[in-house]
Amino acid sequence: LAGELSDVDVGGLLKGVFESDFASRGRLDARVELAGDFERLSGVRGSGELLLEDSVLWSIPVVRDLLANLNVETGAVFERIESKLSLAEGRIRMDDLRIASPLLALEGDGVLDLDGRLDFDLEVQYRMLDWLGFVNRVIYWVQSSLVRVAIRGDMARPRVELEGALGRGTDPRRGPRDLPLPAWSPLPQRF
């Protein structure tokens, strides 16, 4: 199976997927090739590419938590989000993930399990330093060793941790030891 999306409205695509439909917009281009046993999701494997442009993804909980931890305003626009994708054994691996906004850029890779679990590690690069020229390279070298983002948990209940030279910081809204989350409620019959 192969498919391609071109210039798709992100707001329409995400409508109803997450609890909030607030402020999700942008344009999506994607290409995917899949093969395997389509009766079992874990038996499907494949590869593809993803490109989002001029997007605001506030309805996605992991994006909200990430922006809150980085102290970026809620209406942050991502100029470009791109990644190479591979699917195997029920896991979507995102390599060469690059997220660019006017204020900062995130680069790294990670895994999204088909059950929603997240495991991403990203480096933060502040874009406002670009105008510094030669000094920029030194600052980026220091900066990449100072601030990194780890995203764990799942899509609906993400856990964003900032890691740096001064230690690890967790989401300020969480305690040092969170209680375990309850199981998901069953879906109603009319879902």
Side-chain angles (χ1 to χ4, degrees):
L1 175 68
E4 185 171 344
L5 299 174
S6 181
D7 202 30
V8 173
D9 174 52
V10 171
L13 185 67
L14 293 179
K15 190 171 184 83
V17 175
F18 298 101
E19 288 181 25
S20 168
D21 290 331
F22 174 72
S24 283
R25 63 177 172 30
R27 308 308 300 170
L28 169 70
D29 292 332
R31 180 196 57 78
V32 66
E33 296 176 14
L34 302 172
D37 181 0
F38 289 97
E39 298 294 322
R40 276 184 27 248
L41 280 178
S42 61
V44 177
R45 62 189 177 287
S47 63
E49 297 174 355
L50 169 79
L51 172 66
L52 270 112
E53 293 181 306
D54 299 321
S55 60
V56 174
L57 303 173
W58 195 246
S59 69
I60 303 175
V62 68
V63 174
R64 282 196 308 261
D65 278 13
L66 177 61
L67 294 176
N69 273 272
L70 294 172
N71 295 319
V72 176
E73 63 184 58
T74 61
V77 174
F78 297 103
E79 294 170 333
R80 189 174 181 91
I81 300 173
E82 60 185 318
S83 181
K84 294 179 182 172
L85 309 171
S86 60
L87 171 63
E89 299 174 5
R91 299 172 58 134
I92 301 170
R93 176 143 188 89
M94 300 178 82
D95 291 314
D96 299 326
L97 176 62
R98 292 186 184 98
I99 304 170
S101 77
L103 295 175
L104 56 88
L106 300 167
E107 293 186 7
D109 54 32
V111 174
L112 168 62
D113 284 359
L114 292 181
D115 66 2
R117 285 181 290 173
L118 299 164
D119 186 9
F120 283 82
D121 293 300
L122 306 169
E123 290 185 3
V124 179
Q125 298 176 342
Y126 291 96
R127 309 262 319 256
M128 59 190 140
L129 300 176
D130 286 344
W131 60 273
L132 294 176
F134 175 73
V135 177
N136 187 28
R137 282 182 258 168
V138 174
I139 291 174
Y140 274 155
W141 178 78
V142 171
Q143 176 186 330
S144 68
S145 65
L146 294 180
V147 181
R148 291 196 171 137
V149 176
I151 302 173
R152 306 293 186 258
D154 61 48
M155 286 292 287
R157 301 174 290 193
R159 190 176 73 247
V160 177
E161 300 171 350
L162 299 180
E163 301 171 350
L166 301 176
R168 173 178 280 198
T170 59
D171 186 332
R173 296 166 289 176
R174 299 182 189 272
R177 292 186 60 197
D178 290 334
L179 293 173
L181 292 170
W184 291 105
S185 299
L187 293 173
Q189 289 180 350
R190 295 188 62 192
F191 179 74

